[in-house]
Amino acid sequence: MWDYTDKVLDHFRNPRNVGLIENPDGIGEVGSMACGDALKLTFKLDEKKRIVDVKFKTFGCASAIASSSALTEMIKGMTIEQAEKVTNQDIANYLGGLPEQKMHCSVMGREALEMAIANYRTGKTGKKILAGKVVCTCFGVTEEEIERVVRDNNLTTVEQVTNYCKAGGGCGNCKNDIVQIIERIRKERESKSASTQKPAKLTVLQKVKLIEETLDREIRPMLKRDGGDIELIDISGSRVIVSFRGMCAGCQAAPSTIKDVVEAKLREFVSKDLVVEEDKS
Amino acid sequence: MKNVYLDNNATTQVAPEVIDAIIPFFKELWGNPSSMHYFGGQVKKYIDTAREQVADLINAEPSEIVFTSCGTEGDNMAIRGTAEALGKNRKIITTRVEHPAVLGPCRHLKEQGHEVIELGVDSSGQLDLTEFRKVLGKGPNIVSIMWANNETGVMFPIPEIAAMVKEQGGVLHTDAVQIVGKIPIDVRKTPVDMLALSGHKLHAPKGIGALYIRKGTKVNTFLIGGHQENGRRGGTENVPYIVGLGQACVLAKKFLQDETTNVAKLRDRLEAGILASCPSTTVNGDRVHRLPNTTNISFQYIEGEAILYHLSDIGVAASSGSACTSGSLEPSHVIRAMGVPFTSAHGSTRFSLSRYNTAEEIEYVIEKIPAIVKRLRDLSPFV
Ligand SMILES: Cc1ncc(COP(=O)(O)O)c(C=O)c1O
């Protein structure tokens, strides 16, 4: 038997939000009978564009059912912007982890959610259509999808890629292609980390740019999840003045967020001597 | 909670009589049968008896029985030992639905330059004997074809196959791991050259088996070492388990009638009960030429692992050929070889009984299954 967590077994035995919403605002369908698992996800938004209702139907193993059920619980109440930031790792984490060979179940959840959001935004079909170069013909996995799981989950081996999106798990003829994709992304990552190495002395302009980039990448997604935002007001020497927006403005936790999160991240990615202050004017 | 064990093709409960027979060989009779003193030497006669008991179940000569550590070893020894004895570039014919214990060695030999042909099966899991005759060809070619399939219970016509192989001068090994103890086997009537069996499929412990080697068959020794097993397999004998296998064969012979009557009746009742109460279910494989204890049922539109976990929650142990349980991402190679459509393949579920199952247990399963199937179908986007 698989080493499933109690949470996985609970969601498998008592799946939440089963069914299909009539006239949904978004619908996403991924997988197929041939592939061995499939998920159909529907959601409805309220007037504030929050997901008020979400339902699913899943064909698949215990962890496929549990991942789908977990996903519906996670995104209920989220805005579309928040929901689209949910990663497959978030789904796995919510369940207390999944066996490595079952990570593709969490990826299926993330894909269905993306499909449903795209369907909501564009009105285009929520069904997965194979776009771009198909690498794994057995399971119909495209280059883009493989790149995505490799990037999202920092994968380094073909076996991992198979665990996360099934590519390479059939005849195995595409294993070399997968190796090359992994290799390419590894090189990209290396050159990126080389380029994010801070230059010895930053000009003010460079500093502003780097701070903005760091806020964007490291801080904003987290704040936005709670309906807030942050803005860079000014910098003066090593002092960085920021201001909270939305739900974060006037939040009790703001001072500690400034020190523990914003300052820590800016020190990590921009410069060790930075001091962050909140603009109180 | 109830405990209904319907996974006897995976392994069986060790018979209480077998356990009783084994214990003294741990407690008192633990000497080495090769020793030149009474303490060890007295043990040898129990091995001889066990050899007679195993031989008796398949109507072989005791000298034609080699004890092995498992079914896998028997298959390996037969296939690789024969290929080695017959020399380079042999034709090896097997089927696509064999157990990995046969497919593995065959594919290994292919890499070493032998020609290996894997015969396909039809939708009922049966071979095309005309095709077999065509590829067989004349000469000392090696044929390894299972007698009964572990996943579907489908039995191949080994008597016909054996006659053809003899006629063409080939060597025939059969993996009889699933059939021995369930159907009467007589190697005098069916001219197979080698036959592998495994203890844990017939109520002996795991880790003991036997290979029948017809007198005169050329097989190279696989475990080279001492003179045990007449020089055909080195290594000090696993005396307790050999004794246990002998005892299990005695019991198997005694209960053989039971298999084709009682066990078959329970299996048929289970199969009919499930088919009647669950719509869109089909039986995989030939239902006529089939082991009396096995049924492989596909529940369409739902997936096997999910079925097994729900069954396990109510105390029922079964098995599945679905991707998630086959240890790969695709359904079992047997189900795929039969061309079972994907709507059914992932929901294939094997129930395999033994003489220890009761009518009450079967009724319990029949009563409980519809709710499980309905639950999963309510979840399925394809229903
Ligand atoms: C048909 C068949 N052959 C071989 C084996 C291998 O037997 P063992 O587990 O004793 O190695 C099995 C058991 O799984 C089997 O079902």
Side-chain angles (χ1 to χ4, degrees):
Chain A
M1 290 188 99
W2 295 101
D3 194 10
Y4 286 140
T5 64
D6 288 344
K7 197 133 186 212
V8 170
L9 291 173
D10 176 41
H11 275 266
F12 161 64
R13 289 182 181 130
N14 313 295
R16 332 287 203 261
N17 311 309
V18 174
L20 294 172
I21 297 173
E22 274 186 45
N23 303 317
D25 290 313
I27 177 164
E29 287 177 74
V30 292
S32 72
M33 194 90 80
C35 290
D37 46 21
L39 165 57
K40 194 168 186 174
L41 188 75
T42 52
F43 66 71
K44 193 110 196 135
L45 301 175
D46 64 9
E47 63 282 1
K48 286 194 206 125
K49 302 289 175 213
R50 279 175 190 274
I51 297 172
V52 274
D53 198 11
V54 48
K55 287 201 186 321
F56 81 95
K57 282 208 164 194
T58 288
F59 162 76
C61 57
S63 56
I65 292 170
S67 296
S68 313
S69 167
L71 171 68
T72 61
E73 288 284 278
M74 289 166 72
I75 63 171
K76 214 178 234 185
M78 280 187 178
T79 62
I80 291 290
E81 288 69 32
Q82 291 166 334
E84 73 185 335
K85 300 223 165 64
V86 171
T87 65
N88 72 282
Q89 196 61 53
D90 293 336
I91 299 172
N93 290 347
Y94 182 91
L95 289 167
L98 284 172
E100 267 298 293
Q101 296 99 311
K102 295 285 191 174
M103 283 303 287
H104 59 85
C105 296
S106 68
V107 173
M108 178 168 80
R110 191 260 293 151
E111 282 184 342
L113 176 58
E114 279 175 5
M115 287 298 173
I117 292 174
N119 167 253
Y120 159 68
R121 285 198 173 133
T122 65
K124 282 201 194 120
T125 171
K127 270 198 185 135
K128 185 172 143 182
I129 14 178
L130 285 182
K133 186 178 153 205
V134 176
V135 175
C136 170
T137 49
C138 295
F139 290 103
V141 192
T142 62
E143 181 158 19
E144 199 184 318
E145 288 169 305
I146 295 172
E147 285 175 0
R148 177 76 187 270
V149 291
V150 171
R151 285 214 174 88
D152 282 4
N153 299 282
N154 287 320
L155 307 184
T156 53
T157 66
V158 176
E159 195 186 347
Q160 286 177 320
V161 170
T162 306
N163 289 338
Y164 277 71
C165 68
K166 300 193 180 183
C171 69
N173 283 345
C174 61
K175 284 188 176 173
N176 261 333
D177 299 336
I178 299 175
V179 169
Q180 276 166 14
I181 295 173
I182 294 171
E183 192 54 20
R184 196 175 68 230
I185 292 175
R186 191 184 60 78
K187 286 204 184 114
E188 267 173 34
R189 233 183 253 135
E190 276 173 9
S191 67
K192 207 181 207 161
S193 75
S195 75
T196 50
Q197 298 265 315
K198 310 133 214 176
K201 194 105 173 87
L202 292 168
T203 66
V204 175
L205 213 60
Q206 279 173 329
K207 204 183 261 178
V208 170
K209 198 158 162 267
L210 212 48
I211 289 173
E212 280 292 6
E213 277 176 12
T214 308
L215 288 179
D216 240 15
R217 193 180 63 232
E218 304 288 329
I219 317 272
R220 280 207 176 95
M222 194 176 64
L223 297 180
K224 282 190 170 163
R225 215 165 286 177
D226 297 324
D229 204 346
I230 192 167
E231 203 172 307
L232 177 64
I233 303 293
D234 198 5
I235 66 166
S236 133
S238 59
R239 280 176 64 217
V240 181
I241 320 288
V242 297
S243 175
F244 283 120
R245 296 281 183 257
M247 298 290 280
C248 299
C251 169
Q252 292 290 316
S256 67
T257 307
I258 292 267
K259 283 288 157 206
D260 299 345
V261 186
V262 183
E263 190 172 281
K265 288 289 178 196
L266 292 184
R267 282 182 177 187
E268 180 183 348
F269 291 99
V270 185
S271 170
K272 278 201 178 60
D273 58 354
L274 292 181
V275 181
V276 181
E277 293 171 18
E278 192 178 1
D279 177 39
K280 292 274 171 37
S281 58
Chain B
M1 191 175 71
K2 259 201 163 15
N3 197 349
V4 183
Y5 188 79
L6 300 179
D7 200 11
N8 286 280
N9 287 13
T11 198
T12 59
Q13 167 190 348
V14 180
E17 297 90 330
V18 170
I19 298 175
D20 290 344
I22 287 175
I23 298 297
F25 294 87
F26 286 119
K27 283 191 165 164
E28 297 110 27
L29 295 162
W30 45 265
N32 187 329
S34 301
S35 295
M36 287 299 136
H37 45 67
Y38 179 72
F39 184 69
Q42 63 174 335
V43 172
K44 190 173 175 302
K45 66 172 183 287
Y46 294 98
I47 295 184
D48 295 340
T49 306
R51 203 182 303 281
E52 285 161 17
Q53 290 164 335
V54 175
D56 187 47
L57 182 61
I58 58 170
N59 201 21
E61 292 290 325
S63 63
E64 295 174 314
I65 300 295
V66 175
F67 288 112
T68 61
S69 68
C70 58
T72 303
E73 186 191 326
D75 285 332
N76 267 268
M77 179 174 176
I79 297 165
R80 297 166 70 184
T82 317
E84 202 180 289
L86 292 178
K88 277 197 184 355
N89 305 327
R90 288 288 145 213
K91 181 146 74 175
I92 299 165
I93 300 161
T94 186
T95 79
R96 276 171 60 195
V97 296
E98 299 293 313
H99 190 273
V102 167
L103 280 179
C106 287
R107 289 173 186 171
H108 173 77
L109 289 171
K110 187 173 184 173
E111 282 165 19
Q112 309 215 315
H114 295 274
E115 179 189 0
V116 174
I117 297 165
E118 293 177 15
L119 296 167
V121 295
D122 64 17
S123 60
S124 74
Q126 278 297 358
L127 289 171
D128 179 347
L129 289 189
T130 327
E131 187 199 348
F132 173 64
R133 189 187 284 283
K134 231 185 274 166
V135 299
L136 177 59
K138 267 220 171 320
N141 297 316
I142 303 165
V143 180
S144 180
I145 294 182
M146 69 199 320
W147 206 323
N149 188 276
N150 43 304
E151 291 190 30
T152 58
V154 169
M155 287 157 51
F156 284 147
I158 292 299
E160 278 101 310
I161 290 170
M164 287 187 205
V165 175
K166 281 303 99 183
E167 196 186 291
Q168 300 296 321
V171 186
L172 174 63
H173 164 63
T174 185
D175 176 340
V177 165
Q178 289 294 345
I179 201 170
V180 171
K182 292 173 189 152
I183 299 277
I185 298 290
D186 185 339
V187 294
R188 295 282 148 251
K189 288 206 186 113
T190 307
V192 297
D193 297 298
M194 287 162 290
L195 175 154
L197 63 93
S198 175
H200 72 109
K201 312 286 184 183
L202 64 151
H203 306 290
K206 296 153 196 65
I208 185 71
L211 180 65
Y212 158 79
I213 305 174
R214 181 177 297 277
K215 211 172 284 168
T217 308
K218 287 204 193 81
V219 193
N220 276 17
T221 296
F222 197 58
L223 277 186
I224 303 168
H227 55 83
Q228 294 90 351
E229 298 298 291
N230 223 351
R232 290 176 298 188
R233 183 190 189 269
T236 301
E237 300 88 339
N238 185 349
V239 183
Y241 281 24
I242 287 173
V243 170
L245 178 60
Q247 186 59 43
C249 287
V250 171
L251 292 169
K253 189 169 180 183
K254 183 171 147 198
F255 288 108
L256 257 181
Q257 196 72 60
D258 255 35
E259 294 283 332
T260 37
T261 55
N262 295 348
V263 177
K265 208 187 275 167
L266 290 181
R267 188 273 314 270
D268 291 343
R269 166 70 191 131
L270 176 68
E271 192 172 88
I274 291 174
L275 291 182
S277 63
C278 304
S280 303
T281 45
T282 48
V283 175
N284 293 315
D286 185 341
R287 288 167 76 173
V288 179
H289 305 100
R290 183 169 60 158
L291 292 175
N293 79 319
T294 309
T295 175
N296 188 310
I297 297 180
S298 272
F299 298 91
Q300 287 176 35
Y301 314 118
I302 55 178
E303 193 277 337
E305 183 197 296
I307 299 171
L308 294 191
Y309 269 76
H310 277 312
L311 283 173
S312 178
D313 280 349
I314 59 159
V316 177
S319 145
S320 167
S322 86
C324 290
T325 56
S326 68
S328 75
L329 290 165
E330 296 188 319
S332 91
H333 67 291
V334 177
I335 296 295
R336 274 184 292 147
M338 288 162 61
V340 175
F342 281 116
T343 45
S344 298
H346 289 284
S348 76
T349 308
R350 178 187 72 186
F351 302 93
S352 49
L353 287 66
S354 81
R355 59 175 184 263
Y356 291 105
N357 289 119
T358 65
E360 189 210 341
E361 288 177 342
I362 298 305
E363 293 310 318
Y364 172 78
V365 177
I366 293 173
E367 180 202 321
K368 294 286 183 186
I369 276 197
I372 291 175
V373 173
K374 180 169 183 316
R375 264 179 90 173
L376 289 171
R377 285 198 178 145
D378 285 346
L379 264 175
S380 173
F382 300 117
V383 185

